[in-house]
Amino acid sequence: MGPEPTDGNFGTHTDTAEVSVALSAPGGAEQVASGSAGGLSARRAARSANRLVRSSGLWLSLFAVSLGLFIVRFLIPTPVGQADNRDGPRVMCDLGVWAVTHGSPQWFRYAYFEFAPSVSRCAQAGRYPTSQLVPLELARILTWAVGLPGTVNLIALGLLTCVIASFGIASLATGLRLRLWAQLAVAAAAWLIMADAAFFDVYASPFSEPAVLMGLLLVAAGVVYLGRGRRETVFGLTLAGLGGFLAILAKQQYLILAVPICLTLVLASGGRNSGGLRQFWTARTKAAIMVAVLLATMTAAYALWDRASNYATLLHRQQVVDVVFSEIVTTHDDQARADLRALGLPPSWAKYAGTNSFSSVSVRHDPLYPRYEAKLSDGTIAHFLLTHPRSIVSIGQHAAIDAQKLRVTYLGDYAPSAGHRPGATESRVVVLTWLTHRLPKHLGLLWYVPLWTTMALIAIAALFVPHGGIWRRDGAVLVLCMTGCAIAAFIPVAYFAGISTTRHMAGMNMATSLAGLISIALVISMMHQALTRVLGVPAPGDSTRRPRIARVAHASLARMSRRQRAGGVP
């Protein structure tokens, strides 16, 4: 077998390090051969400058190509978005604007891009804070700057979201220290994920989902830079911090994302070479702790608002009604009445099985509803699930089946002026959706749980398999973070939301897709290393560079010896 590879990585880019080689001098004394300090520093500075130029050029190229393709995908032949299902005013009325429909049906059928002020309509709308307001405020400025109709035009929002997505893709691909072809492959695959109709349709929509989708991409791109030098760590923390803000504060259901994101920021920023707890008390880690504390503080503030707000309380009660009568009480038999008793609710409410808060016949109109209204809380649902473990599996399975659909097809994607039938959906890029739909439709948890487990094991293996390239550590951190985010995002939607599960699972599916992409790259890398070792193929770091350095050092020693014998100055 050949020498053990030190860099047996699929596509790994290896920076040539300066190495001192100990050789025996002709006189028997051992000397260390190295270049002059000045020459060495100059060469290292030149290489560093060249790498920076190449990396910047690659980043700009990836950003420009990605953005250009996104714009074509968004606007040609006609803009695409997503119709409102009556949730939009919760976000848009924070800006005091309402969709301009020109007499067409407002809900479900058509996507509307032009929004204008409407005090009377927004006066009746419930509202909640969301990080999506930041892109919307920027879109308001962009609407005015480019002369689009309306106070806020969602075409401007879609363009801005395309810019953010392109920034994230370029940063992710260049942050993974791979060879050029591998970086291009990662960028192309990431673009196909972000451009898939399952996600892209909401980029120019009145919902809060764009914030969580962009936020997760920025977090994924940012964490690969953590634990490096000062410049890279600052860039990574900035990227991941902004992404964490967008993702965590998109809506109440995503507050739980603070746990995996903040943990990743702190743990991944530790020193790579120092051992023990000292690696978590460096300047890099202190900066990461500051960012994590800031995100945790904003999360706590949102949670306090959610607890004190009357509208949030009303919203939670609606969601509990949806969970109870769409997921738990689904039949009119004795089991339904027993479940209602366990929930502390009247057994007679079994007649509402299969309904939700917005059904024409709903428990919210029952005479007993005011008496039991206080029982309709997340705590009631949590207690029921803990005391009825079978419900955890059955409800989770139903939610996972809905999530496996990946994209929403009951909301139209075109404006009335596009000439499509009401409720028509677009399919310009559906690679991820097509692949997912090749799976059996009712796998549900039998797909997601093994997938999450496998990705986590791949990441752990990548961290501990010896002689792996430095990119694997970065990729493994990304996979563990996104897998944690996927699991965390699944729980509140599956067990505490009740309806619109497919749309609400967009964040979970995004995190799963990003983790899956890098997991595949890690598997290829480890398989390549294993095959290299089995076949005895010399590794670049072992069989080419070091012998060359040794030859140069030996020649240098020979010249020094000749000069000494000739009476010259060594």
Side-chain angles (χ1 to χ4, degrees):
M1 183 178 293
E4 185 171 286
T6 58
D7 191 33
N9 263 325
F10 135 78
T12 303
H13 173 73
T14 309
D15 292 323
T16 305
E18 299 298 329
V19 181
S20 295
V21 182
L23 296 174
S24 297
E30 203 173 64
Q31 299 182 7
V32 177
S34 63
S36 65
L40 177 62
S41 299
R43 289 193 299 273
R44 294 181 66 180
R47 275 194 297 271
S48 178
N50 288 335
R51 284 196 299 270
L52 181 60
V53 170
R54 288 196 302 268
S55 178
S56 300
L58 176 62
W59 190 97
L60 288 172
S61 298
L62 290 176
F63 174 79
V65 172
S66 176
L67 180 58
L69 292 175
F70 273 135
I71 291 175
V72 171
R73 191 252 185 272
F74 176 39
L75 297 178
I76 298 176
T78 184
V80 291
Q82 193 164 84
D84 194 349
N85 66 344
R86 293 191 173 93
D87 284 350
R90 298 173 183 175
V91 176
M92 302 306 294
C93 281
D94 274 324
L95 302 178
V97 295
W98 196 270
V100 177
T101 65
H102 299 292
S104 298
Q106 180 168 2
W107 314 114
F108 296 98
R109 299 304 181 191
Y110 293 110
Y112 296 102
F113 301 105
E114 181 182 351
F115 282 72
S118 180
V119 176
S120 59
R121 290 178 175 178
C122 284
Q124 305 299 321
R127 309 172 194 182
Y128 58 74
T130 171
S131 56
Q132 179 64 9
L133 292 175
V134 175
L136 280 170
E137 287 289 357
L138 294 176
R140 186 207 295 263
I141 298 172
L142 186 59
T143 298
W144 168 82
V146 300
L148 292 171
T151 302
V152 178
N153 195 297
L154 295 188
I155 291 178
L157 176 65
L159 292 172
L160 179 63
T161 306
C162 290
V163 171
I164 298 173
S166 300
F167 189 98
I169 290 171
S171 300
L172 172 61
T174 54
L176 293 171
R177 289 169 284 188
L178 300 166
R179 294 193 185 278
L180 177 60
W181 68 265
Q183 289 176 317
L184 295 177
V186 168
W191 189 91
L192 289 174
I193 291 173
M194 302 305 298
D196 195 275
F199 306 124
F200 195 90
D201 291 346
V202 302
Y203 292 177
S205 73
F207 304 128
S208 56
E209 272 71 22
V212 72
L213 298 179
M214 293 303 105
L216 287 170
L217 175 62
L218 293 181
V219 170
V223 297
V224 303
Y225 293 89
L226 301 183
R228 303 187 190 176
R230 179 178 179 181
R231 183 182 61 194
E232 292 89 347
T233 297
V234 169
F235 179 72
L237 285 176
T238 302
L239 210 58
L242 290 174
F245 164 78
L246 288 173
I248 296 168
L249 303 179
K251 60 197 309 182
Q252 181 269 341
Q253 292 164 339
Y254 290 116
L255 294 181
I256 194 173
L257 293 181
V259 177
I261 291 176
C262 290
L263 282 176
T264 302
L265 291 181
V266 176
L267 296 179
S269 296
R272 296 169 185 257
N273 299 319
S274 56
L277 295 177
R278 289 179 300 171
Q279 63 180 318
F280 297 111
W281 200 243
T282 63
R284 293 189 299 266
T285 311
K286 291 176 183 177
I289 291 174
M290 291 176 62
V291 175
V293 168
L294 180 60
L295 291 176
T297 301
M298 290 188 289
T299 303
Y302 195 118
L304 289 175
W305 171 88
D306 187 70
R307 188 178 183 86
S309 168
N310 291 331
Y311 176 70
T313 301
L314 175 63
L315 187 60
H316 283 300
R317 286 175 181 166
Q318 291 177 357
Q319 292 171 339
V320 171
V321 167
D322 296 335
V323 172
V324 170
F325 295 100
S326 298
E327 304 290 346
I328 299 175
V329 180
T330 57
T331 59
H332 301 84
D333 56 12
D334 291 339
Q335 182 60 53
R337 286 184 280 274
D339 288 340
L340 285 167
R341 290 191 191 95
L343 289 162
L345 301 174
S348 62
W349 282 4
K351 62 185 177 183
Y352 298 110
T355 65
N356 59 56
S357 295
F358 304 99
S359 300
S360 57
V361 177
S362 172
V363 71
R364 294 173 61 194
H365 307 303
D366 191 276
L368 295 177
Y369 183 81
R371 182 189 304 179
Y372 290 93
E373 195 173 21
K375 287 280 188 179
L376 300 171
S377 67
D378 290 342
T380 299
I381 297 296
H383 180 268
F384 178 84
L385 293 174
L386 292 174
T387 54
H388 297 74
R390 288 185 179 180
S391 295
I392 296 177
V393 177
S394 62
I395 294 174
Q397 174 67 1
H398 186 264
I401 290 173
D402 285 343
Q404 195 179 329
K405 297 174 184 175
L406 211 65
R407 67 173 301 192
V408 173
T409 55
Y410 61 86
L411 297 176
D413 293 334
Y414 295 101
S417 59
H420 293 273
R421 62 174 177 79
T425 57
E426 61 91 15
S427 299
R428 296 174 186 174
V429 179
V430 288
V431 175
L432 180 64
T433 299
W434 183 86
L435 291 173
T436 304
H437 288 179
R438 302 284 71 79
L439 299 169
K441 294 181 179 180
H442 300 290
L443 280 181
L445 291 176
L446 295 178
W447 162 247
Y448 284 107
V449 173
L451 178 62
W452 293 332
T453 304
T454 301
M455 292 190 301
L457 291 176
I458 289 170
I460 293 170
L463 287 173
F464 290 101
V465 169
H467 309 296
I470 53 178
W471 92 268
R472 284 195 203 159
R473 183 263 188 193
D474 304 328
V477 167
L478 185 157
V479 171
L480 289 174
C481 179
M482 288 296 105
T483 303
C485 287
I487 297 171
F490 179 85
I491 295 171
V493 176
Y495 298 105
F496 300 98
I499 59 175
S500 299
T501 305
T502 303
R503 182 168 66 84
H504 292 156
M505 285 289 186
M508 183 278 292
N509 278 320
M510 172 61 73
T512 301
S513 301
L514 293 173
L517 167 61
I518 305 304
S519 294
I520 292 171
L522 288 172
V523 168
I524 295 174
S525 173
M526 290 186 286
M527 289 177 62
H528 180 271
Q529 177 181 341
L531 288 174
T532 299
R533 297 180 64 185
V534 168
L535 298 177
V537 178
D542 247 2
S543 60
T544 58
R545 288 176 184 159
R546 289 181 183 174
R548 183 176 175 227
I549 293 174
R551 289 195 300 270
V552 172
H554 191 277
S556 177
L557 280 176
R559 286 194 299 270
M560 292 166 60
S561 177
R562 287 195 297 269
R563 291 173 64 186
Q564 288 176 343
R565 287 195 297 269
V569 179

